[in-house]
Every structure is written in structure tokens, then in C-alpha cells.
């Protein structure tokens, strides 16, 4: 019996797609006959007691600390063989690579994982390899950002070097906005560097896939929707088919980049823009995409077990790759106007539908909703599967037309004068 360790593998109720992803992986690993060891922080394991009954063992390990993970793994192996290690969170992928290297197991080289996790290093490497990239620079002061704008023009995007979930990402059009952007993205110019890059015009997509036998395989191309005026993702649809077979060009560019970077293992999520020059690669992730993309990809491929396929590849077993997707799925997020939630309509009528992959609303009357600055500021999810991506799009948009999260200015004595729909 093989033993697989999942670093950062517990997720409590309310953790959304992360909980569903972790449970799917654990169950698919167990169904293939493996022992599964789940590690996470003490708080996460305490908040998710069902993992203790599903997993063969649970251990308290900080998945954000690669050195601690390696120390624990080496000690654990003295008592029990370990055949594979994996993890699905953005902040666990470095620890996964370090543990795999320390134990001599299948995995990506740690230096490559650190490179793709550091946005400027990945931009530079992709550019050196000949892939289209926006102009970019590391900046630590307002003057640095102003110099970038003087050289490349605006608009530009200012972002942290290694954050996730659109946190701290700011668009600027003029030098006058540089100071505020630096404060948001870098928490002040004296605390570190931020990445400044050209704003790329064009619709955004991502490629979801898996490595098998050391080679990347694209499972679907996903269209991304942004909340107006933000970089926060408001929805996704997969698989998309574009005029002129541009979706195939996007998938090919993503897999070509993964090969060129030297990555060989895991589930991947590669972001890009489609421009008049062709695909321009964005961020590269050696973990599943968030926002229910793992469930949407499995829906699109009815015979696919995404994490079961990962399990087989990590253990050196043949992976049966699916053909083209045969169904479609769409997800939308509820992003109301900021303020005090004064009423919610239409939600109860939405739940219980057989075509729902997931529906969740985290806001209630009396809550205060802030501006949409990151994915954590969204207050609801509707994910739906259908016979095609177009049908899923139509169905989820129809459902959300009847869902209204009404807000009014926080602290207002009269809440009825300024109400907004989600």
C-alpha cells in the first residue's frame, strides 16, 4: 500500500472550493488504495475534524514553512515509508517541492517552483525563453514607478511579487496614482519590492491541466470575467471555443511554456491574455486553479478523476488521459456594492437545483460588505454544469438575475434610500 502525504490538506466548513478540492483529492487517493497522511496547522485540523476520520493520519505541520515540512517529513519517514507528496494551495507548493526533493520522490525542482511563484522571476524567465511578456520591473519607490511609466507609458499594473487571489493588485494610469498603488501593493515603499508591468489589453483566459509522464496535458481553456473596475475574478466558463481555434493556440502556448520552464509534475493553472499578437502568458501556477475550476474541469470530462490522475502519475503509474471535454460549466460570484446588507432576495429559490455544482452565500442582513479588493471580498458563489459551456453560461446568468444582495451606506439610519443589486 502506497503512502501519500498532503501538505496543507485540511479545510473547514466555509472554506469553499478549497474544502471541496481537498475532500475530492483525499477520497480519490483512498479509492485507489493508498494511505493518506494529511498535514496542516493545528487550527485548520481542529476546524476540520472529519479529516481525521477520512485520512489514515493527521499531523500538525505548517505548510507555509518548507524547512519545517522537510524536517517533519524526514522524521516521519524513519517510522513509515512515503511514496508521494503533494499539496494544492498556492502557499504549499514550495514545501511540496522541497519535501519531494529531500525524500527523493517525484516532483518539480524546488528552484523552479520558487521561480514561478515569484512573479518577476517568472516574467523574466519566460521572456528569456522567447515567450511574449508585458514589460515589467521591480520597484521600491514612487520614483521607480514614475520612471517605468515614463519609459513604457500607461496604464500599468502594480502588484505584490508573490501574493494570490488578486490581493494588492492595482491599475494606474498616471504618475499621480503611483504613491497610493505602492502603499496598497507593497504596504509602503520601505518594506519591499513590488512588480510593475504593462497593462495588457485583451480578454483573459486560463489553461487547466495535468502533467502525465513528465509532459503537460491541457484539459480545458477557461474564460475569466472580472468584476467591473477591479482585478477580482467575477466568474469563469470552461471549456471555451474561440473563433479561428484560438483556444487551441492558447492551450499550446501554455503547455509549451511549462515544458520550456522544466516543470514536470502536478496539476497546473496557467493564465494568459489573448491579444492581436496572440496569447501573452500571465502567471504560471503548479497547483489547481481556484474558484471551483477543479470541479468544473471534472464536470467537463465526466470520466475524469483529476486528483486520481495526479495520484497515478506521482506513483509512476500510467495515466489514462481523457479526450476533448464533452460538457461545460460556469461559475459566477456575488459581488455587491459596498455597504450594509439590508436584504437578500432570490437565494432560497436558487438552491436545490440538480445542475448546481455548488451554491453558497456568506453574507447576511446586517453584514457590512467592503469594496472588492481581492477574491476574499466576494460574498456568494453559483457554479453550474450543463451540456455545453454556452448553456452553462446562459443558465447561471439567468439564475443570478433573480438574486439580489441589497446594500445601503454603512451606518446610515435610513437604509432604503440607496439600495443596490448584486
Amino acid at each position: 500500500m502506497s503512502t501519500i502525504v498532503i501538505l496543507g490538506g485540511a479545510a473547514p466548513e466555509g472554506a469553499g472550493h478549497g474544502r471541496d478540492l481537498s475532500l475530492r483529492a483525499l477520497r480519490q487517493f483512498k479509492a485507489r488504495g493508498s494511505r493518506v497522511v494529511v498535514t496542516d496547522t493545528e487550527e485548520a485540523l481542529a476546524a476540520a475534524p472529519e479529516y481525521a476520520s477520512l485520512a489514515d493520519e493527521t499531523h500538525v505541520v505548517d505548510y507555509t514553512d518548507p524547512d519545517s515540512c522537510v524536517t517533519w517529513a524526514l522524521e516521519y519517514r524513519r517510522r513509515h515509508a512515503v511514496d508521494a507528496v503533494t499539496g494544492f494551495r498556492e502557499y504549499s507548493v514550495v514545501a511540496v517541492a522541497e519535501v519531494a526533493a529531500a525524500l527523493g520522490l517525484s516532483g518539480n525542482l524546488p528552484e523552479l517552483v520558487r521561480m514561478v511563484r515569484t512573479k518577476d522571476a517568472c516574467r523574466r524567465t519566460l521572456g528569456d525563453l522567447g515567450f511574449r511578456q508585458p514589460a515589467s520591473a521591480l520597484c521600491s519607490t514612487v520614483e521607480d514607478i514614475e520612471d517605468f511609466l515614463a519609459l513604457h507609458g500607461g496604464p500599468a499594473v502594480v502588484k505584490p511579487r508573490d501574493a494570490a487571489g488578486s490581493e494588492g493588485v492595482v491599475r494606474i494610469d498616471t504618475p499621480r496614482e503611483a504613491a497610493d498603488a505602492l502603499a496598497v501593493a507593497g504596504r509602503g515603499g520601505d518594506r519591499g519590492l513590488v512588480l510593475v508591468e504593462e497593462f495588457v489589453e485583451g480578454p483573459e483566459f486560463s489553461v487547466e491541466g495535468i502533467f502525465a509522464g513528465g509532459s503537460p496535458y491541457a484539459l480545458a481553456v477557461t474564460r475569466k470575467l472580472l468584476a467591473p473596475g477591479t482585478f477580482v475574478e467575477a466568474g469563469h466558463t470552461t471549456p471555451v471555443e474561440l473563433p479561428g481555434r484560438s483556444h487551441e493556440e492558447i492551450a499550446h502556448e501554455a503547455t509549451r511554456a511549462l515544458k520550456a520552464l522544466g516543470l514536470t509534475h502536478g496539476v497546473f493553472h496557467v493564465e494568459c491574455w489573448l491579444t492581436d499578437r496572440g496569447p501573452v502568458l500571465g502567471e504560471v501556477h503548479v497547483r489547481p486553479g481556484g474558484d471551483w475550476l477543479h470541479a468544473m474541469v471534472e464536470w467537463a470530462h465526466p470520466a475524469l478523476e483529476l486528483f486520481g490522475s495526479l495520484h497515478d502519475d506521482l506513483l509512476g503509474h500510467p495515466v489514462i488521459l481523457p479526450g476533448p471535454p464533452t460538457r461545460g460549466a460556469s461559475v459566477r460570484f456575488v459581488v455587491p456594492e459596498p455597504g450594509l446588507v439590508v436584504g437578500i432576495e432570490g437565494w432560497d429559490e436558487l438552491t436545490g437545483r440538480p445542475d448546481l455544482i455548488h451554491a453558497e452565500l456568506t453574507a447576511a442582513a446586517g453584514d457590512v460588505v467592503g469594496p472588492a479588493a481581492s477574491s476574499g471580498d466576494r460574498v456568494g458563489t453559483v457554479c453550474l454544469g450543463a451540456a455545453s459551456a454556452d448553456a452553462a453560461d446562459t443558465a447561471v446568468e439567468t439564475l443570478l438575475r433573480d438574486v439580489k444582495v441589497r446594500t445601503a451606506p454603512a451606518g446610515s439610519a435610513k437604509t432604503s434610500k440607496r439600495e443596490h443589486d448584486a
Side-chain angles (χ1 to χ4, degrees):
M1 180 180 291
S2 300
T3 295
I4 296 184
V5 172
I6 305 176
L7 297 179
E13 289 282 354
H17 72 265
R19 175 180 173 81
D20 183 83
L21 188 157
S22 297
L23 289 173
R24 286 188 192 224
L26 200 160
R27 288 169 177 150
Q28 289 176 21
F29 290 177
K30 293 285 290 180
R32 280 165 162 73
S34 286
R35 292 181 70 254
V36 182
V37 179
V38 171
T39 76
D40 215 311
T41 63
E42 185 174 4
E43 294 77 12
L45 290 170
E50 70 276 24
Y51 284 84
S53 60
L54 289 172
D56 294 277
E57 296 181 35
T58 59
H59 294 268
V60 174
V61 185
D62 182 0
Y63 63 87
T64 67
D65 184 345
D67 291 340
S68 294
C69 290
V70 169
T71 299
W72 173 85
L74 290 170
E75 177 59 30
Y76 180 81
R77 192 176 62 173
R78 298 167 99 180
R79 296 177 281 109
H80 200 293
V82 177
D83 300 286
V85 58
T86 190
F88 311 112
R89 298 179 181 177
E90 180 69 20
Y91 297 106
S92 72
V93 294
V94 172
V96 168
E98 293 284 6
V99 169
L103 300 186
L105 303 175
S106 297
N108 293 305
L109 294 175
E111 58 268 28
L112 297 181
V113 176
R114 290 182 187 276
M115 179 268 295
V116 297
R117 276 227 67 239
T118 307
K119 295 177 175 64
D120 55 286
C122 192
R123 283 263 182 270
R124 189 165 54 250
T125 303
L126 286 170
D128 290 345
L129 290 169
F131 291 91
R132 286 181 287 265
Q133 289 285 276
S136 62
L138 286 177
C139 298
S140 62
T141 67
V142 170
E143 291 74 21
D144 289 342
I145 299 176
E146 292 173 343
D147 289 344
F148 182 90
L149 289 173
L151 181 61
H152 299 287
V157 177
V158 184
K159 62 175 71 173
R161 299 179 74 192
D162 60 357
S166 304
E167 184 177 3
V169 183
V170 182
R171 170 177 165 158
I172 60 174
D173 292 278
T174 69
R176 292 191 300 275
E177 301 166 288
D180 288 344
L182 184 60
V184 171
R187 302 183 184 90
D190 62 336
R191 293 194 180 182
L193 298 167
V194 298
L195 178 63
V196 182
E197 59 187 37
E198 287 180 299
F199 180 83
V200 180
E201 296 282 357
E204 294 192 47
F205 299 90
S206 62
V207 180
E208 328 308 329
I210 189 169
F211 286 92
S215 296
Y217 180 79
L219 294 167
V221 175
T222 301
R223 181 176 64 247
K224 180 193 301 186
L225 301 175
L226 299 181
T230 78
F231 291 97
V232 177
E233 293 163 2
H236 306 271
T237 301
T238 198
V240 296
E241 293 192 8
L242 302 172
R245 313 298 290 178
S246 293
H247 56 286
E248 294 181 351
E249 185 183 2
I250 290 170
H252 177 70
E253 187 78 347
T255 55
R256 191 169 70 90
L258 292 166
K259 291 178 183 177
L261 290 170
L263 298 164
T264 54
H265 290 84
V267 178
F268 62 81
H269 170 73
V270 179
E271 300 174 351
C272 75
W273 300 270
L274 184 59
T275 74
D276 54 8
R277 297 181 294 148
V280 175
L281 294 172
E283 295 179 11
V284 175
H285 302 282
V286 283
R287 46 86 174 161
D291 290 350
W292 294 91
L293 289 174
H294 70 282
M296 294 165 66
V297 167
E298 285 198 345
W299 172 272
H301 297 275
L304 172 69
E305 287 192 341
L306 182 63
F307 305 104
S309 298
L310 169 67
H311 165 282
D312 293 344
D313 187 64
L314 290 175
L315 293 176
H317 303 326
V319 177
I320 300 175
L321 296 170
T326 59
R327 302 190 296 191
S330 187
V331 65
R332 295 293 185 273
F333 301 100
V334 180
V335 187
E337 291 288 332
L340 177 71
V341 178
V342 297
I344 297 172
E345 300 173 9
W347 187 260
D348 291 341
E349 292 78 8
L350 179 151
T351 57
R353 291 175 55 108
D355 53 357
L356 282 177
I357 295 172
H358 181 76
E360 179 180 16
L361 187 67
T362 59
D367 291 346
V368 175
V369 177
S374 74
S375 58
D377 296 318
R378 303 172 305 197
V379 303
T381 303
V382 180
C383 185
L384 182 145
S388 69
D390 287 344
D393 257 353
T394 300
V396 78
E397 295 285 359
T398 300
L399 287 177
L400 279 178
R401 276 201 293 269
D402 295 326
V403 174
K404 297 177 174 59
V405 177
R406 301 191 181 279
T407 62
S412 171
K414 295 183 178 180
T415 60
S416 63
K417 289 189 177 179
R418 231 183 107 192
E419 295 185 340
H420 303 278
D421 295 348

